[in-house]
Amino acid sequence: MTARSIFGALFAAFIFAACSGGNAPETHEDSAQDLVDRITQSLDITYRVAANKNNEPCALANGAEYVGAVCYEGEITLSAKDDITGRDWAIFFSQVEPVAEVHSDEFELVHINGDLHRIQPTDAFRGFQPGEEKTVSFIVRGQVLTEAKLMPNYYVATKNAQAKIINNTKIKIDDETGLATKPHIKAITGADEHFKRSKNDLTPLATASYLFEQSK
């Protein structure tokens, strides 16, 4: 083999290696983006305020407690329409008061900074089967007396992909009333569980029907 042939072969090998190295991240990015897209379209989030507490501890099923002037017990339920596998992704969302305690085997829920919180699969995460639900229970230092305090636009992020908002956490406009709604927020109902300041609180809840009766 001549010197020119050897040089040509080495040059071709160099170009092939460079091109191969440049293409590898694109394949990974496409795969990561597919995962983000699938989660945003398939995963439904439900946020539920289970109970507001005044001068009594909030507690979770794993025995965790928070004792403070006020707190509330909440749940975030994740349900999937399609298979979701892998652990290299996270959901970020706004939570006005920081989470104090968490109970979940397959997810961690942590306060990042300010109102930013993150839900991320743990090593115990087994993925989602179609129709499967998983719930993260938590305690928050504070109270929620109105759904306006609960934020929309949970977004999914992973490496080498553009973050996207989970579809069912986006604000929707009611066709009949023209008012903004948040489909992922479960309605806060039950005066005893949420609105009474103590067991001796006899203040009536100012519902529309109560105000109507009072104004007669």
Side-chain angles (χ1 to χ4, degrees):
M1 181 179 289
T2 66
R4 178 176 294 181
S5 299
I6 294 172
F7 176 80
L10 291 173
F11 181 77
F14 173 79
I15 294 298
F16 177 79
C19 291
S20 298
N23 289 336
E26 292 182 3
T27 301
H28 179 69
E29 288 179 3
D30 291 342
S31 177
Q33 193 63 60
D34 288 343
L35 174 62
V36 169
D37 293 345
R38 184 165 66 255
I39 292 174
T40 59
Q41 295 167 15
S42 173
L43 199 65
D44 281 347
I45 302 288
T46 302
Y47 190 111
R48 184 175 81 93
V49 178
N52 284 294
K53 299 291 184 69
N54 292 278
N55 298 310
E56 58 179 310
C58 288
L60 299 177
N62 63 348
E65 284 190 347
Y66 174 78
V67 180
V70 293
C71 59
Y72 74 86
E73 300 162 0
E75 295 177 349
I76 293 177
T77 299
L78 303 91
S79 59
K81 303 182 186 74
D82 304 304
D83 289 328
I84 296 176
T85 58
R87 303 186 184 97
D88 190 20
W89 53 274
I91 297 172
F92 294 86
F93 68 102
S94 172
Q95 168 77 41
V96 177
E97 288 102 355
V99 167
E101 299 288 346
V102 178
H103 173 47
S104 174
D105 293 330
E106 296 189 62
F107 292 96
E108 66 171 8
L109 195 172
V110 296
H111 174 222
I112 303 298
N113 189 26
D115 64 342
L116 184 63
H117 288 68
R118 181 186 68 215
I119 298 173
Q120 190 167 14
T122 66
D123 290 341
F125 179 66
R126 299 185 300 274
F128 282 98
Q129 299 295 321
E132 185 177 7
E133 293 185 351
K134 300 179 188 290
T135 298
V136 181
S137 303
F138 53 89
I139 296 171
V140 176
R141 298 188 291 267
Q143 287 193 328
V144 174
L145 303 179
T146 170
E147 295 162 26
K149 195 175 184 180
L150 303 175
M151 298 294 107
N153 297 335
Y154 292 42
Y155 66 91
V156 180
T158 188
K159 295 178 181 178
N160 302 314
Q162 180 181 2
K164 288 191 175 181
I165 297 173
I166 296 175
N167 286 344
N168 93 303
T169 68
K170 296 178 181 179
I171 288 179
K172 304 293 192 299
I173 302 300
D174 186 275
D175 292 335
E176 184 175 353
T177 65
L179 298 176
T181 64
K182 289 176 278 191
H184 67 295
I185 303 298
K186 197 170 182 65
I188 300 174
T189 58
D192 291 340
E193 295 86 353
H194 296 295
F195 303 112
K196 289 188 178 296
R197 304 296 294 177
S198 71
K199 294 180 180 178
N200 298 321
D201 185 357
L202 301 179
T203 305
L205 188 62
T207 61
S209 58
Y210 172 81
L211 294 174
F212 175 78
E213 292 297 327
Q214 294 300 306
S215 63
K216 283 183 177 179

